[in-house]
Amino acid sequence: MYISTSRAASPPSAEAPATPVVPAAPVARGRRRVWAGVNSNVLALGSVSLVTDISSEMITAVLPMYVIFTLGLSPLQFGALNGMYFGVTALVRVAGGHAADRWQRRKLVAGSGYALSALCKLGLLAAGSSVPGLGAVIAADRTGKGLRTGPRDALISLSSTPETLGRSFGAHRALDTTGAFLGPLAAFALLLATPGRYDTVFVASFCIAAFALVILALFVRDRRQPLEQHERATVRDVLGLLLRPGFRRVGIGVLLLGAVTLSDSFVYLLIQQRLDISAEYFPLLPLGTTGVYLLMAMPLGQLADRLGRLRVFVAGYGALLLAYLALFGPVGGPLLVITTLVLHGLFYAATDGVLMAAIGPMVPEHLRAAGMSLIQTGQSLATLASSLLFGAAWSVWGLHTALAVALTVLAVAIAAALVTLPLREESPA
């Protein structure tokens, strides 16, 4: 799985000697065309993310039922716990990226994040019904995610050529999303076999996360560049990225769009409210988004390499606008569900990895992890603020009016982003 069918497309590294070309069988030509230019290190990182996401999404799928129906927590208490998913990640993401860049230990920092999240699966068992204990475990899990995201994306960028960044991130996100698709199915299969035994899910999730660590240790190569002392990343250097015109303009555009993007939970709740979907089918809605994301991440990454990554990124928000229009419009029934989830999946496929592919060339190699983390942190905080505001608008004005406002401000933000983002300066491959 990790043997590339073409010459490794990454810069030379003291720890990564060139890998010889392995001839591929004629029957693999179609597959080779799809994955051509994707470095074996990217595939290894994608495999780690695939296995990790199976573990993480097993917990995500059952956690609401566990804390509300088994432990008896109120929805308000669960909402407070769930809010940590955004807040804690944002706080540590830039710190993790900065540490990885400064000490040139991107694999080590990413591995620390993966290990911490793995241990938290057993921490759920130890916390029992203690709300503070659960809060501490969730905070630690999100700390792990924040630590690993920037170094991981930096390794993907540094393991790719400038011409194949979109394809590389698309390949990684496709593998990552495969895990997100399989995780809930695995959790529900376990609960079907052992009804009510959430501890079985937690232990299985830990074992799967531990396996991801083994893959990371054995197959992922670090990317380290010899640096002079004056080149070591400092906090001032990281913040200085905001003074770079291209990077700053992308950051402003991302904040504008993130500030008008509803969280996934609200999208699924809007579908549920429109169609009055029963509770037992509600957990299946995210699988629709995930399935489309899985299928389209690689093709849209390749398209971004050809047409321009920021152009595809903005087009993704156009798909999100159409999804909101579908929720606002008169069409209902299965057509509404299919249309909304397809558009929602296209939005993620066109924006998540594509944005990181666009940011990579704008940031010096010794600041790559911190620079990517800085953009991701701003995006996460903006989306959190948007969801809080939409929830307040829904409570005060009602669903229909709140959605109309969301549609309007998203359309305005897309128009503003087209002016703000350095689209003309971007050179498609």
Side-chain angles (χ1 to χ4, degrees), residues 172-323:
H172 175 270
R173 294 315 196 252
L175 291 168
D176 180 272
T177 309
T178 301
F181 188 85
L182 295 175
L185 298 178
F188 283 113
L190 280 173
L191 288 178
L192 187 64
T194 58
R197 294 298 303 272
Y198 291 96
D199 56 340
T200 303
V201 177
F202 298 155
V203 172
S205 175
F206 166 75
C207 294
I208 294 171
F211 179 58
L213 282 170
V214 173
I215 299 175
L216 178 75
L218 295 180
F219 295 102
V220 173
R221 303 186 306 275
D222 210 347
R223 294 289 176 178
R224 299 167 59 187
Q225 303 82 33
L227 299 176
E228 300 295 337
Q229 187 63 34
H230 69 276
E231 290 181 305
R232 291 200 177 276
T234 65
V235 174
R236 174 179 289 184
D237 293 333
V238 176
L239 296 179
L241 291 173
L242 298 175
L243 300 178
R244 294 173 176 249
F247 186 91
R248 184 174 64 246
R249 290 174 65 184
V250 171
I252 293 171
V254 167
L255 284 175
L256 284 172
L257 293 169
V260 294
T261 302
L262 306 183
S263 70
D264 296 353
S265 297
F266 273 122
V267 172
Y268 304 136
L269 282 172
L270 287 167
I271 296 174
Q272 193 275 335
Q273 290 289 309
R274 279 288 311 272
L275 302 181
D276 195 25
I277 296 173
S278 57
E280 60 266 26
Y281 293 108
F282 182 78
L284 298 178
L285 292 177
L287 295 180
T289 295
T290 304
V292 175
Y293 184 10
L294 167 63
L295 293 174
M296 297 305 298
M298 187 73 171
L300 288 179
Q302 292 174 300
L303 184 66
D305 284 335
R306 293 198 298 269
L307 300 184
R309 291 151 195 152
L310 292 176
R311 293 178 178 88
V312 172
F313 174 73
V314 176
Y317 278 90
L320 185 64
L321 179 65
L322 293 176

Side-chain angles (χ1 to χ4, degrees), residues 331-379:
V331 177
L335 181 59
L336 172 64
V337 177
I338 294 171
T339 300
T340 304
L341 295 181
V342 167
L343 290 168
H344 198 226
L346 286 172
F347 158 68
Y348 273 112
T351 56
D352 185 17
V354 170
L355 176 60
M356 292 300 98
I359 289 295
M362 299 181 182
V363 183
E365 289 189 3
H366 70 287
L367 296 173
R368 191 69 53 90
M372 289 179 162
S373 298
L374 194 61
I375 293 292
Q376 291 169 329
T377 297
Q379 186 179 41

